[in-house]
Amino acid sequence: MSDDLHLVGLCGSLRKASLNRALLAAAAELLPGGVTLEVVEIGDFPLYNEDVERAAYPPAVSRVRAQIAAADALLIATPEYNYGIPGVLKNAIDWISRPQKDAPWRGKALAIAGASQGSLGAVRGVYQMRQIAVSQDMHVLNRPEIMVSAAHTRFDDQGRLTDETTRKYLREMLVALVEHALQLRRS
Ligand code: FNR
């Protein structure tokens, strides 16, 4: 069913013990057969500046653009910072979106998940990310939606996702993302 699909994961948090990073690690465990997931690093991107883009395109951005170009679909896991996506993620998106004519994720399937220690599961960050994805002409998976509330209670000390309900929804999201990517490949 999966037909050897490759996914790229992006995390909206740079901290080592990030719950969103742990969510991506759980996704890597729960992938359907034949599907791979590579989490790419955006922490070494410079701050976006159009002068820098014109003078010398940063190697870190070229690396991630190539990783995304080689992927069939994407999975973004992000916290919500002050009711929106974190600046590091927006910075990475602004870089990856340039040059505008060939953004590497154009036309690809994207699933968005969020984890927050609060009660709303990063919903405002996830929905802002969904809006940004429209500008990039990505095909966002509508359902299932994964917004992990009280996320610190759903992982163990090693960062393993222990909450069975969240594992079930995450597995379902991955199956739906793969199906979405395959439909796009066929169309
Ligand atoms: C937060 N946090 C937060 N949580 C939330 O539900 N709504 C919010 O608006 C914010 N705002 C916010 C701003 C800033 C600057 C920080 C540092 C944190 C809490 C945040 O969701 C929580 O720390 C998550 O655990 C962060 O994600 P990672 O790093 O665990 O992936």
Side-chain angles (χ1 to χ4, degrees), residues 35 47 50 53 59 79 101 108 114 127 134 144 151 154 156 176 181-182:
V35 181
L47 287 178
E50 204 168 337
E53 183 193 339
K101 64 173 177 23
K108 296 195 180 191
Y127 265 77
V134 173
R154 300 181 199 273
D156 68 15
L182 288 174

Side-chain angles (χ1 to χ4, degrees), residues 26-41:
E29 270 178 31
L30 298 169
L31 292 171
V35 181
T36 51
L37 170 66
E38 171 188 27
V39 178
V40 300
E41 289 307 323

Side-chain angles (χ1 to χ4, degrees), residues 16-103:
K16 272 203 199 91
S18 160
L19 296 162
N20 286 278
R21 193 170 288 272
L23 195 60
L24 287 173
E29 270 178 31
L30 298 169
L31 292 171
V35 181
T36 51
L37 170 66
E38 171 188 27
V39 178
V40 300
E41 289 307 323
I42 58 172
D44 54 350
F45 283 22
L47 287 178
Y48 181 78
N49 177 332
E50 204 168 337
D51 296 336
V52 174
E53 183 193 339
R54 286 185 184 171
Y57 203 85
V61 182
S62 297
R63 179 194 72 226
V64 172
R65 279 179 63 97
Q67 288 169 309
I68 292 171
D72 297 287
L74 290 100
L75 173 62
I76 292 180
T78 184
E80 170 181 301
Y81 280 4
N82 300 316
Y83 291 12
I85 62 167
V88 289
L89 180 57
K90 184 61 165 62
N91 185 59
I93 292 166
D94 291 343
W95 269 118
I96 293 163
S97 72
R98 309 284 294 179
Q100 214 174 4
K101 64 173 177 23
D102 61 354

Side-chain angles (χ1 to χ4, degrees), residues 11-22 77-84 86 115-124 151-152:
C11 183
S13 169
L14 300 184
R15 75 186 184 100
K16 272 203 199 91
S18 160
L19 296 162
N20 286 278
R21 193 170 288 272
T78 184
E80 170 181 301
Y81 280 4
N82 300 316
Y83 291 12
S116 159
Q117 298 182 39
S119 58
L120 295 181
V123 59
R124 290 161 294 213
H152 54 297

